[in-house]
Amino acid sequence: KAGVTQTPRYLIKTRGQQVTLSCSPISGHRSVSWYQQTPGQGLQFLFEYFSETQRNKGNFPGRFSGRQFSNSRSEMNVSTLELGDSALYLCASTLTSGEDTQYFGPGTRLTVL
Amino acid sequence: QQQVKQSPQSLIVQKGGISIINCAYENTAFDYFPWYQQFPGKGPALLIAIRPDVSEKKEGRFTISFNKSAKQFSLHIMDSQPGDSATYFCAASNRGNYQLIWGAGTKLIIKP
């Protein structure tokens, strides 16, 4: 069974630009969560989608948004990029709303210059 | 009250030794406590998890000890190997809200 895939793996943008990251969950998984990982702040929860609906949201500004498609694939978008948005963005999928185990993808390394 | 506090921040252990990482929580509604292992360039992967109805769970060289009254849980790695060198995260959640609350991580280095 294929794992969680994230594209692109690496991305370099400049301040003010916007970026879209993509996540394909494990086949059959319906829940997708997004995290931002930085050396100083650790893993911070961005949001979670289940059946195309945002179910939970972390404490991030409105510049961070996401969506989930009917095939469970998810995208997250960051508008008006800031230097502090440089981070590893991780996507995790879970089977259903009652499943606790999260399976992570390798992440997208975003660098904002 | 939503925090999970993890210590130490970094740990160096000799090969064959025991590595111990500790976590503490405040929210008594938490009922699921996983440990994740992350290697450089990879996403975290579930290592072992425990629920509060047991005080200990062992899988191979990895053991979680859980102290409900103290609101603490810890990961023990027996016979630590260089391949165990990674960053370890504890986390907690409850069934009413499936969002995992993460510890800050512990960078473990096993010296050969």
Side-chain angles (χ1 to χ4, degrees), chain A residues 66-96:
Chain A
R67 59 178 175 167
Q68 187 180 33
F69 302 95
S70 58
N71 62 358
S72 294
R73 190 178 70 85
S74 178
E75 289 181 347
M76 69 162 280
N77 184 77
V78 188
S79 62
T80 320
L81 283 166
E82 300 177 0
L83 295 178
D85 297 334
S86 295
L88 180 67
Y89 289 88
L90 291 161
C91 161
S93 79
T94 55
L95 184 59
T96 67

PDB file of all heavy atoms in Angstrom, chain A residues 66-96:
ATOM      1  N   GLY A  66      -6.749  25.723   3.527  1.00  0.00           N
ATOM      2  CA  GLY A  66      -6.650  24.396   2.941  1.00  0.00           C
ATOM      3  C   GLY A  66      -7.973  23.965   2.360  1.00  0.00           C
ATOM      4  O   GLY A  66      -8.995  24.658   2.475  1.00  0.00           O
ATOM      5  N   ARG A  67      -7.932  22.824   1.721  1.00  0.00           N
ATOM      6  CA  ARG A  67      -9.161  22.217   1.236  1.00  0.00           C
ATOM      7  C   ARG A  67      -8.896  20.743   0.990  1.00  0.00           C
ATOM      8  O   ARG A  67      -7.745  20.296   0.880  1.00  0.00           O
ATOM      9  CB  ARG A  67      -9.656  22.903  -0.035  1.00  0.00           C
ATOM     10  CG  ARG A  67      -8.690  22.875  -1.197  1.00  0.00           C
ATOM     11  CD  ARG A  67      -9.316  23.534  -2.415  1.00  0.00           C
ATOM     12  NE  ARG A  67      -8.390  23.648  -3.534  1.00  0.00           N
ATOM     13  CZ  ARG A  67      -8.761  23.961  -4.778  1.00  0.00           C
ATOM     14  NH1 ARG A  67     -10.028  24.213  -5.041  1.00  0.00           N
ATOM     15  NH2 ARG A  67      -7.872  24.068  -5.750  1.00  0.00           N
ATOM     16  N   GLN A  68      -9.997  20.008   0.919  1.00  0.00           N
ATOM     17  CA  GLN A  68      -9.897  18.579   0.624  1.00  0.00           C
ATOM     18  C   GLN A  68     -10.861  18.261  -0.500  1.00  0.00           C
ATOM     19  O   GLN A  68     -11.995  18.759  -0.529  1.00  0.00           O
ATOM     20  CB  GLN A  68     -10.221  17.748   1.865  1.00  0.00           C
ATOM     21  CG  GLN A  68      -9.976  16.259   1.666  1.00  0.00           C
ATOM     22  CD  GLN A  68     -10.313  15.442   2.911  1.00  0.00           C
ATOM     23  OE1 GLN A  68     -11.225  15.787   3.655  1.00  0.00           O
ATOM     24  NE2 GLN A  68      -9.589  14.352   3.110  1.00  0.00           N
ATOM     25  N   PHE A  69     -10.419  17.412  -1.383  1.00  0.00           N
ATOM     26  CA  PHE A  69     -11.233  17.032  -2.538  1.00  0.00           C
ATOM     27  C   PHE A  69     -11.982  15.742  -2.264  1.00  0.00           C
ATOM     28  O   PHE A  69     -11.720  15.047  -1.279  1.00  0.00           O
ATOM     29  CB  PHE A  69     -10.328  16.913  -3.766  1.00  0.00           C
ATOM     30  CG  PHE A  69      -9.576  18.184  -4.081  1.00  0.00           C
ATOM     31  CD1 PHE A  69      -8.281  18.365  -3.617  1.00  0.00           C
ATOM     32  CD2 PHE A  69     -10.168  19.206  -4.814  1.00  0.00           C
ATOM     33  CE1 PHE A  69      -7.582  19.539  -3.886  1.00  0.00           C
ATOM     34  CE2 PHE A  69      -9.485  20.376  -5.082  1.00  0.00           C
ATOM     35  CZ  PHE A  69      -8.191  20.548  -4.616  1.00  0.00           C
ATOM     36  N   SER A  70     -12.887  15.413  -3.181  1.00  0.00           N
ATOM     37  CA  SER A  70     -13.732  14.228  -2.978  1.00  0.00           C
ATOM     38  C   SER A  70     -12.914  12.939  -2.953  1.00  0.00           C
ATOM     39  O   SER A  70     -13.347  11.932  -2.390  1.00  0.00           O
ATOM     40  CB  SER A  70     -14.805  14.151  -4.059  1.00  0.00           C
ATOM     41  OG  SER A  70     -14.219  14.113  -5.347  1.00  0.00           O
ATOM     42  N   ASN A  71     -11.720  12.946  -3.536  1.00  0.00           N
ATOM     43  CA  ASN A  71     -10.875  11.745  -3.505  1.00  0.00           C
ATOM     44  C   ASN A  71      -9.941  11.746  -2.296  1.00  0.00           C
ATOM     45  O   ASN A  71      -9.004  10.952  -2.218  1.00  0.00           O
ATOM     46  CB  ASN A  71     -10.051  11.635  -4.789  1.00  0.00           C
ATOM     47  CG  ASN A  71      -9.097  12.814  -4.974  1.00  0.00           C
ATOM     48  OD1 ASN A  71      -9.081  13.736  -4.168  1.00  0.00           O
ATOM     49  ND2 ASN A  71      -8.308  12.776  -6.044  1.00  0.00           N
ATOM     50  N   SER A  72     -10.190  12.650  -1.337  1.00  0.00           N
ATOM     51  CA  SER A  72      -9.453  12.817  -0.079  1.00  0.00           C
ATOM     52  C   SER A  72      -8.119  13.535  -0.234  1.00  0.00           C
ATOM     53  O   SER A  72      -7.502  13.869   0.777  1.00  0.00           O
ATOM     54  CB  SER A  72      -9.231  11.481   0.649  1.00  0.00           C
ATOM     55  OG  SER A  72     -10.460  10.962   1.081  1.00  0.00           O
ATOM     56  N   ARG A  73      -7.681  13.767  -1.440  1.00  0.00           N
ATOM     57  CA  ARG A  73      -6.462  14.561  -1.613  1.00  0.00           C
ATOM     58  C   ARG A  73      -6.679  15.945  -1.036  1.00  0.00           C
ATOM     59  O   ARG A  73      -7.806  16.469  -1.032  1.00  0.00           O
ATOM     60  CB  ARG A  73      -6.103  14.656  -3.092  1.00  0.00           C
ATOM     61  CG  ARG A  73      -4.721  15.246  -3.367  1.00  0.00           C
ATOM     62  CD  ARG A  73      -4.413  15.264  -4.873  1.00  0.00           C
ATOM     63  NE  ARG A  73      -5.218  16.233  -5.606  1.00  0.00           N
ATOM     64  CZ  ARG A  73      -4.910  17.517  -5.734  1.00  0.00           C
ATOM     65  NH1 ARG A  73      -3.816  18.003  -5.163  1.00  0.00           N
ATOM     66  NH2 ARG A  73      -5.694  18.314  -6.437  1.00  0.00           N
ATOM     67  N   SER A  74      -5.608  16.521  -0.515  1.00  0.00           N
ATOM     68  CA  SER A  74      -5.745  17.808   0.146  1.00  0.00           C
ATOM     69  C   SER A  74      -4.674  18.773  -0.348  1.00  0.00           C
ATOM     70  O   SER A  74      -3.583  18.363  -0.768  1.00  0.00           O
ATOM     71  CB  SER A  74      -5.627  17.635   1.666  1.00  0.00           C
ATOM     72  OG  SER A  74      -5.702  18.886   2.335  1.00  0.00           O
ATOM     73  N   GLU A  75      -5.008  20.017  -0.322  1.00  0.00           N
ATOM     74  CA  GLU A  75      -4.047  21.077  -0.624  1.00  0.00           C
ATOM     75  C   GLU A  75      -4.073  22.098   0.502  1.00  0.00           C
ATOM     76  O   GLU A  75      -5.110  22.320   1.138  1.00  0.00           O
ATOM     77  CB  GLU A  75      -4.419  21.796  -1.931  1.00  0.00           C
ATOM     78  CG  GLU A  75      -4.209  20.988  -3.184  1.00  0.00           C
ATOM     79  CD  GLU A  75      -4.569  21.766  -4.443  1.00  0.00           C
ATOM     80  OE1 GLU A  75      -5.208  22.834  -4.333  1.00  0.00           O
ATOM     81  OE2 GLU A  75      -4.216  21.292  -5.532  1.00  0.00           O
ATOM     82  N   MET A  76      -2.905  22.686   0.744  1.00  0.00           N
ATOM     83  CA  MET A  76      -2.887  23.837   1.627  1.00  0.00           C
ATOM     84  C   MET A  76      -2.248  25.006   0.886  1.00  0.00           C
ATOM     85  O   MET A  76      -1.374  24.811   0.031  1.00  0.00           O
ATOM     86  CB  MET A  76      -2.173  23.566   2.948  1.00  0.00           C
ATOM     87  CG  MET A  76      -0.682  23.371   2.878  1.00  0.00           C
ATOM     88  SD  MET A  76       0.091  23.578   4.509  1.00  0.00           S
ATOM     89  CE  MET A  76       0.182  25.357   4.621  1.00  0.00           C
ATOM     90  N   ASN A  77      -2.720  26.181   1.171  1.00  0.00           N
ATOM     91  CA  ASN A  77      -2.260  27.374   0.495  1.00  0.00           C
ATOM     92  C   ASN A  77      -1.785  28.392   1.536  1.00  0.00           C
ATOM     93  O   ASN A  77      -2.403  28.543   2.598  1.00  0.00           O
ATOM     94  CB  ASN A  77      -3.416  27.976  -0.324  1.00  0.00           C
ATOM     95  CG  ASN A  77      -2.972  29.176  -1.124  1.00  0.00           C
ATOM     96  OD1 ASN A  77      -2.338  29.032  -2.161  1.00  0.00           O
ATOM     97  ND2 ASN A  77      -3.293  30.367  -0.648  1.00  0.00           N
ATOM     98  N   VAL A  78      -0.683  29.018   1.234  1.00  0.00           N
ATOM     99  CA  VAL A  78      -0.203  30.115   2.085  1.00  0.00           C
ATOM    100  C   VAL A  78      -0.069  31.336   1.192  1.00  0.00           C
ATOM    101  O   VAL A  78       0.654  31.297   0.187  1.00  0.00           O
ATOM    102  CB  VAL A  78       1.143  29.810   2.752  1.00  0.00           C
ATOM    103  CG1 VAL A  78       1.480  30.895   3.769  1.00  0.00           C
ATOM    104  CG2 VAL A  78       1.137  28.443   3.419  1.00  0.00           C
ATOM    105  N   SER A  79      -0.784  32.378   1.523  1.00  0.00           N
ATOM    106  CA  SER A  79      -0.712  33.603   0.728  1.00  0.00           C
ATOM    107  C   SER A  79       0.199  34.615   1.421  1.00  0.00           C
ATOM    108  O   SER A  79       0.491  34.498   2.609  1.00  0.00           O
ATOM    109  CB  SER A  79      -2.113  34.198   0.563  1.00  0.00           C
ATOM    110  OG  SER A  79      -2.638  34.539   1.825  1.00  0.00           O
ATOM    111  N   THR A  80       0.661  35.581   0.653  1.00  0.00           N
ATOM    112  CA  THR A  80       1.503  36.659   1.157  1.00  0.00           C
ATOM    113  C   THR A  80       2.593  36.099   2.088  1.00  0.00           C
ATOM    114  O   THR A  80       2.641  36.386   3.297  1.00  0.00           O
ATOM    115  CB  THR A  80       0.667  37.714   1.917  1.00  0.00           C
ATOM    116  OG1 THR A  80      -0.566  37.944   1.242  1.00  0.00           O
ATOM    117  CG2 THR A  80       1.439  39.022   1.991  1.00  0.00           C
ATOM    118  N   LEU A  81       3.452  35.300   1.526  1.00  0.00           N
ATOM    119  CA  LEU A  81       4.473  34.598   2.308  1.00  0.00           C
ATOM    120  C   LEU A  81       5.363  35.561   3.092  1.00  0.00           C
ATOM    121  O   LEU A  81       5.729  36.643   2.614  1.00  0.00           O
ATOM    122  CB  LEU A  81       5.336  33.743   1.383  1.00  0.00           C
ATOM    123  CG  LEU A  81       4.702  32.439   0.905  1.00  0.00           C
ATOM    124  CD1 LEU A  81       5.490  31.855  -0.251  1.00  0.00           C
ATOM    125  CD2 LEU A  81       4.612  31.440   2.053  1.00  0.00           C
ATOM    126  N   GLU A  82       5.700  35.123   4.301  1.00  0.00           N
ATOM    127  CA  GLU A  82       6.626  35.857   5.162  1.00  0.00           C
ATOM    128  C   GLU A  82       7.847  34.978   5.427  1.00  0.00           C
ATOM    129  O   GLU A  82       7.785  33.745   5.280  1.00  0.00           O
ATOM    130  CB  GLU A  82       5.941  36.207   6.485  1.00  0.00           C
ATOM    131  CG  GLU A  82       4.708  37.070   6.326  1.00  0.00           C
ATOM    132  CD  GLU A  82       4.002  37.332   7.642  1.00  0.00           C
ATOM    133  OE1 GLU A  82       4.479  36.834   8.684  1.00  0.00           O
ATOM    134  OE2 GLU A  82       2.965  38.035   7.617  1.00  0.00           O
ATOM    135  N   LEU A  83       8.953  35.624   5.826  1.00  0.00           N
ATOM    136  CA  LEU A  83      10.170  34.859   6.087  1.00  0.00           C
ATOM    137  C   LEU A  83       9.928  33.760   7.122  1.00  0.00           C
ATOM    138  O   LEU A  83      10.448  32.655   7.021  1.00  0.00           O
ATOM    139  CB  LEU A  83      11.291  35.786   6.573  1.00  0.00           C
ATOM    140  CG  LEU A  83      11.801  36.828   5.581  1.00  0.00           C
ATOM    141  CD1 LEU A  83      12.880  37.695   6.216  1.00  0.00           C
ATOM    142  CD2 LEU A  83      12.345  36.160   4.316  1.00  0.00           C
ATOM    143  N   GLY A  84       9.089  34.066   8.109  1.00  0.00           N
ATOM    144  CA  GLY A  84       8.807  33.129   9.183  1.00  0.00           C
ATOM    145  C   GLY A  84       7.998  31.912   8.753  1.00  0.00           C
ATOM    146  O   GLY A  84       7.812  30.990   9.550  1.00  0.00           O
ATOM    147  N   ASP A  85       7.530  31.911   7.517  1.00  0.00           N
ATOM    148  CA  ASP A  85       6.778  30.752   7.023  1.00  0.00           C
ATOM    149  C   ASP A  85       7.716  29.648   6.548  1.00  0.00           C
ATOM    150  O   ASP A  85       7.254  28.549   6.206  1.00  0.00           O
ATOM    151  CB  ASP A  85       5.860  31.170   5.868  1.00  0.00           C
ATOM    152  CG  ASP A  85       4.800  32.167   6.303  1.00  0.00           C
ATOM    153  OD1 ASP A  85       4.434  32.165   7.499  1.00  0.00           O
ATOM    154  OD2 ASP A  85       4.339  32.947   5.440  1.00  0.00           O
ATOM    155  N   SER A  86       9.002  29.920   6.514  1.00  0.00           N
ATOM    156  CA  SER A  86       9.972  28.888   6.136  1.00  0.00           C
ATOM    157  C   SER A  86       9.887  27.745   7.140  1.00  0.00           C
ATOM    158  O   SER A  86      10.065  27.947   8.343  1.00  0.00           O
ATOM    159  CB  SER A  86      11.393  29.461   6.119  1.00  0.00           C
ATOM    160  OG  SER A  86      11.540  30.435   5.116  1.00  0.00           O
ATOM    161  N   ALA A  87       9.618  26.557   6.648  1.00  0.00           N
ATOM    162  CA  ALA A  87       9.389  25.423   7.544  1.00  0.00           C
ATOM    163  C   ALA A  87       9.231  24.159   6.722  1.00  0.00           C
ATOM    164  O   ALA A  87       9.173  24.192   5.495  1.00  0.00           O
ATOM    165  CB  ALA A  87       8.120  25.630   8.385  1.00  0.00           C
ATOM    166  N   LEU A  88       9.142  23.042   7.448  1.00  0.00           N
ATOM    167  CA  LEU A  88       8.757  21.774   6.839  1.00  0.00           C
ATOM    168  C   LEU A  88       7.257  21.619   7.062  1.00  0.00           C
ATOM    169  O   LEU A  88       6.788  21.678   8.206  1.00  0.00           O
ATOM    170  CB  LEU A  88       9.512  20.623   7.494  1.00  0.00           C
ATOM    171  CG  LEU A  88       9.214  19.214   6.963  1.00  0.00           C
ATOM    172  CD1 LEU A  88       9.719  19.068   5.525  1.00  0.00           C
ATOM    173  CD2 LEU A  88       9.852  18.147   7.847  1.00  0.00           C
ATOM    174  N   TYR A  89       6.498  21.454   6.000  1.00  0.00           N
ATOM    175  CA  TYR A  89       5.055  21.284   6.112  1.00  0.00           C
ATOM    176  C   TYR A  89       4.732  19.805   5.924  1.00  0.00           C
ATOM    177  O   TYR A  89       5.025  19.217   4.884  1.00  0.00           O
ATOM    178  CB  TYR A  89       4.332  22.161   5.094  1.00  0.00           C
ATOM    179  CG  TYR A  89       4.438  23.625   5.485  1.00  0.00           C
ATOM    180  CD1 TYR A  89       5.519  24.394   5.060  1.00  0.00           C
ATOM    181  CD2 TYR A  89       3.491  24.206   6.330  1.00  0.00           C
ATOM    182  CE1 TYR A  89       5.649  25.716   5.455  1.00  0.00           C
ATOM    183  CE2 TYR A  89       3.621  25.532   6.729  1.00  0.00           C
ATOM    184  CZ  TYR A  89       4.700  26.278   6.295  1.00  0.00           C
ATOM    185  OH  TYR A  89       4.838  27.582   6.699  1.00  0.00           O
ATOM    186  N   LEU A  90       4.141  19.245   6.957  1.00  0.00           N
ATOM    187  CA  LEU A  90       3.851  17.822   6.990  1.00  0.00           C
ATOM    188  C   LEU A  90       2.355  17.575   6.857  1.00  0.00           C
ATOM    189  O   LEU A  90       1.540  18.298   7.422  1.00  0.00           O
ATOM    190  CB  LEU A  90       4.335  17.213   8.307  1.00  0.00           C
ATOM    191  CG  LEU A  90       5.847  17.150   8.495  1.00  0.00           C
ATOM    192  CD1 LEU A  90       6.193  16.976   9.962  1.00  0.00           C
ATOM    193  CD2 LEU A  90       6.438  16.010   7.688  1.00  0.00           C
ATOM    194  N   CYS A  91       2.058  16.536   6.120  1.00  0.00           N
ATOM    195  CA  CYS A  91       0.682  16.099   5.955  1.00  0.00           C
ATOM    196  C   CYS A  91       0.571  14.713   6.602  1.00  0.00           C
ATOM    197  O   CYS A  91       1.495  13.897   6.487  1.00  0.00           O
ATOM    198  CB  CYS A  91       0.360  16.047   4.466  1.00  0.00           C
ATOM    199  SG  CYS A  91      -1.060  15.068   4.018  1.00  0.00           S
ATOM    200  N   ALA A  92      -0.529  14.464   7.284  1.00  0.00           N
ATOM    201  CA  ALA A  92      -0.747  13.154   7.894  1.00  0.00           C
ATOM    202  C   ALA A  92      -2.145  12.674   7.552  1.00  0.00           C
ATOM    203  O   ALA A  92      -3.100  13.465   7.555  1.00  0.00           O
ATOM    204  CB  ALA A  92      -0.581  13.237   9.406  1.00  0.00           C
ATOM    205  N   SER A  93      -2.281  11.394   7.266  1.00  0.00           N
ATOM    206  CA  SER A  93      -3.607  10.867   6.981  1.00  0.00           C
ATOM    207  C   SER A  93      -4.014   9.843   8.031  1.00  0.00           C
ATOM    208  O   SER A  93      -3.170   9.145   8.614  1.00  0.00           O
ATOM    209  CB  SER A  93      -3.663  10.260   5.575  1.00  0.00           C
ATOM    210  OG  SER A  93      -3.091   8.978   5.504  1.00  0.00           O
ATOM    211  N   THR A  94      -5.305   9.789   8.292  1.00  0.00           N
ATOM    212  CA  THR A  94      -5.860   8.785   9.189  1.00  0.00           C
ATOM    213  C   THR A  94      -7.055   8.137   8.500  1.00  0.00           C
ATOM    214  O   THR A  94      -7.675   8.729   7.613  1.00  0.00           O
ATOM    215  CB  THR A  94      -6.302   9.381  10.529  1.00  0.00           C
ATOM    216  OG1 THR A  94      -7.218  10.451  10.276  1.00  0.00           O
ATOM    217  CG2 THR A  94      -5.132   9.920  11.309  1.00  0.00           C
ATOM    218  N   LEU A  95      -7.381   6.945   8.951  1.00  0.00           N
ATOM    219  CA  LEU A  95      -8.368   6.141   8.245  1.00  0.00           C
ATOM    220  C   LEU A  95      -9.755   6.776   8.285  1.00  0.00           C
ATOM    221  O   LEU A  95     -10.359   7.055   7.252  1.00  0.00           O
ATOM    222  CB  LEU A  95      -8.405   4.745   8.862  1.00  0.00           C
ATOM    223  CG  LEU A  95      -9.328   3.728   8.194  1.00  0.00           C
ATOM    224  CD1 LEU A  95      -8.937   3.525   6.731  1.00  0.00           C
ATOM    225  CD2 LEU A  95      -9.281   2.398   8.941  1.00  0.00           C
ATOM    226  N   THR A  96     -10.247   6.987   9.497  1.00  0.00           N
ATOM    227  CA  THR A  96     -11.577   7.570   9.648  1.00  0.00           C
ATOM    228  C   THR A  96     -11.559   8.563  10.797  1.00  0.00           C
ATOM    229  O   THR A  96     -10.552   8.784  11.433  1.00  0.00           O
ATOM    230  CB  THR A  96     -12.633   6.497   9.978  1.00  0.00           C
ATOM    231  OG1 THR A  96     -12.366   5.978  11.290  1.00  0.00           O
ATOM    232  CG2 THR A  96     -12.595   5.375   8.960  1.00  0.00           C
TER     233      THR A  96
END
